[in-house]
Amino acid sequence: MSATAVHSLWTTAADPIQKIDAPNIEYGQLSPTLIVIGAAVVGILVEAFVPRRSRYHVQLFVSVVALAAAFAAVVGLAASGYSGTKAGIAAMGAIAVDGPALFLQGTILLAGVLGVFTFAERRLDPVAHGNRVDSFAAQAASVPGSDSEKAAVKAGFATTEVFPLLLFAIGGMLVFPAANDLLTLFIALEVLSLPLYLLCAVARRKRIMSQEAAVKYFLLGAFASAFTLFGIALLYGYAGSVSYATIAQVVDGTVETVNPALAGTMGNDALLLIGAAMVVMGLLFKVGAVPFHMWTPDVYQGAPTPVTGFMAAATKVAAFGALLRLLYVVLPGLRWDWRPVMMGVAVVTMLGGAIVAITQTDIKRLLAYSSIAHAGFILSGVIAMTPDGVSSVLFYLGAYSFVTIGAFAVVTLVRDAGGEATHLSKWAGLGRRSPLVAAVFAVFLLAFAGIPLTSGFAGKFAVFKAAAEGGASALVVVGVISSAIAAFFYIRVIVLMFFSEPRPEGPTVAVPSPLTMTAIAVGVAVTLVLGVAPQYFLDLAGQAGVFVR
């Protein structure tokens, strides 16, 4: 190396140190997420320092207060104009604070409150050794059936760590639909996924099945995360940035400054198409769209039912929010490439979910395939590529999440000696044994089927109307056919409950605590209000349907 080169290196190194500017963080705009993550950290400290007998009550209090405070913060931000005129980008360009983000965050937080209520239910199982028990393993670390597990049950232990895990998952879900660059999107994906993998594994009964569900979910989720990360790397190579706005400019050809180091790869369409496909694939896995749906029925069946209900509702809301932002903000210039593919995915998702659900004999698997069909219905709104498409998807997600949590909360009530009686044959004659529970479940099934005067009808009508106006009329035809097929198996369960003879050795219906009663009552109320008078909420979703760019 020549002396001049060494000298120039030396002088470069000897330059005065550049001052690194502190990042400018808008704490007020990020307050909903910060409250939830802060409460999750407090929950971990509670596990460390609070005596075992008090932990359940402390955790329940911390979780409910945090979610209520975060929801109040979301409402405050929306009322201050952040859903419209003051919408902008916070946290050094990492998080978007706009209408869709706040609407989806509010929905996730409300679903989270109902999820906490079902997690905290302690009156359904018979009292064990003088202690009330919940749906979660007495000691998650002990081997199923081992002496240590029996000792933990006898001592009245409870896995109260599920509350901070739930809060961490909700924290990730709040960031996921608001992420404004690909790295934030990936971190949020991991923060919401890892607690869910753990929560799936801690069922009190059928522990082996629960752990199997968690392993399947973890392995397939890890694959999906790897695809997403590889896609992010390719999109970075294509655009020279992970920021949504910059990638969108490079796609449109309106970028002003080109990074010389990336000038050779920038604008390479192969990187764009493969990268976008991989990131979208990761998001389609999270929403449970065909062909990335294989985990859904097994995980829904094996996980503790309160976890299944929360996961089915909140994960869909967060993942569809992220998918909307990616397609509408980053890749609108690529719509001629991704629309036909997404139409194909929507068609096979609607038909696949509806047809396979007919063959199911387990109520949780039936609801899992039903959720796959609903992912297809929501995708038809995403494909519309119009403002009505965004608002119809927001409305559908809000309506769907309450119906789902309510339905799974009802499933926890029907029990036999082995715990929850999820086989459909056990539900025969339930309408005669417990008319109120059967009637409530029938309301949720009719909403899933999209019968008029339920929220399901208003949601389906909104997404199909948006799809038809967006030029995807073929999707609407397939959607209506799928809805008709799906209505068959929902009505079949209602007929089974009300028009079959109850079996003498059939299950009992447990009387829940006010917590689960509240979750079910809120689900029924929202289902009927959004069905009878949806206009106010459709307008709200319409006002919230504008992405900041």
Side-chain angles (χ1 to χ4, degrees):
M1 189 184 260
S2 69
T4 51
V6 173
H7 177 71
S8 69
L9 280 174
W10 168 248
T11 51
T12 311
D15 278 346
I17 295 166
Q18 296 291 319
K19 191 160 73 72
I20 298 173
D21 293 326
N24 182 25
I25 306 293
E26 298 82 351
Y27 292 103
Q29 294 172 40
L30 304 177
S31 55
T33 311
L34 296 176
I35 290 168
V36 172
I37 297 285
V41 174
V42 170
I44 291 173
L45 296 175
V46 167
E47 287 298 317
F49 295 110
V50 173
R52 194 184 284 275
R53 64 180 179 279
S54 312
R55 279 180 208 164
Y56 164 82
H57 297 288
V58 176
Q59 293 282 25
L60 179 58
F61 176 76
V62 168
S63 303
V64 173
V65 168
L67 293 173
F71 183 72
V74 168
V75 173
L77 286 171
S80 308
Y82 284 103
S83 61
T85 49
K86 287 164 80 176
I89 310 294
M92 310 286 290
I95 306 276
V97 183
D98 57 7
L102 293 173
F103 189 94
L104 293 165
Q105 286 177 341
T107 306
I108 290 164
L109 289 165
L110 290 176
V113 172
L114 299 186
V116 168
F117 287 169
T118 56
F119 275 45
E121 178 57 59
R122 284 192 149 183
R123 289 209 192 154
L124 300 177
D125 270 312
V127 172
H129 305 288
N131 299 298
R132 291 192 183 280
V133 295
D134 54 20
S135 304
F136 302 100
Q139 193 168 2
S142 55
V143 176
S146 65
D147 292 338
S148 65
E149 184 184 53
K150 289 170 186 160
V153 172
K154 199 166 183 179
F157 290 179
T159 303
T160 44
E161 295 95 322
V162 294
F163 293 103
L165 284 173
L166 177 75
L167 290 177
F168 276 120
I170 293 171
M173 288 172 188
L174 295 181
V175 177
F176 202 45
N180 196 53
D181 68 47
L182 292 169
L183 282 183
T184 309
L185 180 84
F186 181 73
I187 291 165
L189 174 68
E190 293 306 299
V191 172
L192 79 89
S193 300
L194 293 171
L196 291 177
Y197 301 150
L198 287 171
L199 286 169
C200 287
V202 292
R204 179 173 285 272
R205 304 197 180 218
K206 300 179 181 162
R207 295 252 340 252
I208 302 287
M209 192 173 167
S210 168
Q211 291 177 355
E212 181 196 345
V215 170
K216 282 179 179 168
Y217 191 21
F218 170 66
L219 290 175
L220 289 169
F223 270 114
S225 294
F227 274 114
T228 308
L229 198 55
F230 195 29
I232 289 170
L234 293 177
L235 285 177
Y236 176 73
Y238 168 79
S241 171
V242 289
S243 158
Y244 282 7
T246 310
I247 298 170
Q249 286 173 351
V250 179
V251 173
D252 294 340
T254 55
V255 69
E256 282 150 21
T257 53
V258 175
N259 183 336
L262 289 151
T265 56
M266 278 178 86
N268 179 339
D269 284 352
L271 291 178
L272 170 65
L273 293 170
I274 299 170
M278 286 183 146
V279 175
V280 170
M281 201 186 297
L283 296 177
L284 290 177
F285 171 86
K286 274 289 165 215
V287 302
V290 178
F292 313 104
H293 68 294
M294 298 310 290
W295 61 277
T296 312
D298 293 344
V299 173
Y300 279 30
Q301 185 184 9
T305 307
V307 175
T308 306
F310 167 74
M311 192 167 70
T315 310
K316 254 198 183 42
V317 177
F320 267 113
L323 186 63
L324 273 176
R325 192 175 296 278
L326 191 73
L327 296 179
Y328 278 64
V329 177
V330 187
L331 304 172
L334 200 63
R335 76 176 71 178
W336 303 115
D337 296 288
W338 64 251
R339 267 192 82 173
V341 178
M342 295 295 270
M343 281 184 181
V345 170
V347 167
V348 294
T349 304
M350 288 190 278
L351 288 173
I355 292 168
V356 181
I358 294 174
T359 64
Q360 299 305 311
T361 55
D362 183 278
I363 195 78
K364 283 169 81 174
R365 286 185 82 85
L366 185 140
L367 290 175
Y369 279 105
S370 143
S371 90
I372 292 169
H374 280 283
F377 298 140
I378 301 171
L379 274 175
S380 55
V382 173
I383 289 162
M385 278 307 282
T386 60
D388 279 355
V390 180
S391 61
S392 68
V393 169
L394 296 181
F395 179 84
Y396 199 123
L397 289 169
Y400 173 81
S401 54
F402 287 97
V403 183
T404 305
I405 291 183
F408 279 105
V410 174
V411 171
T412 63
L413 304 184
V414 182
R415 307 180 90 80
D416 58 16
E420 289 160 6
T422 57
H423 198 278
L424 275 178
S425 61
K426 304 268 180 79
W427 287 62
L430 190 71
R432 302 186 188 185
R433 187 166 279 147
S434 181
L436 181 62
V437 169
V440 165
F441 197 59
V443 169
F444 290 136
L445 290 175
L446 292 172
F448 280 136
I451 303 299
L453 299 184
T454 64
S455 59
F457 174 77
K460 272 186 187 161
F461 185 80
V463 290
F464 288 162
K465 178 169 172 278
E469 289 173 355
S473 310
L475 269 186
V476 179
V477 175
V478 176
V480 172
I481 293 169
S482 304
S483 296
I485 297 169
F488 166 75
F489 59 80
Y490 296 127
I491 305 294
R492 190 184 70 183
V493 176
I494 294 173
V495 169
L496 183 76
M497 291 194 297
F498 286 101
F499 300 105
S500 303
E501 285 298 322
R503 295 183 174 187
E505 76 287 359
T508 56
V509 175
V511 178
S513 68
L515 292 168
T516 298
M517 284 183 189
T518 304
I520 294 172
V522 169
V524 172
V526 171
T527 302
L528 295 176
V529 168
L530 293 186
V532 175
Q535 197 54 51
Y536 170 77
F537 298 95
L538 282 166
D539 291 344
L540 195 66
Q543 291 161 11
V546 182
F547 288 103
V548 65
R549 295 185 192 279

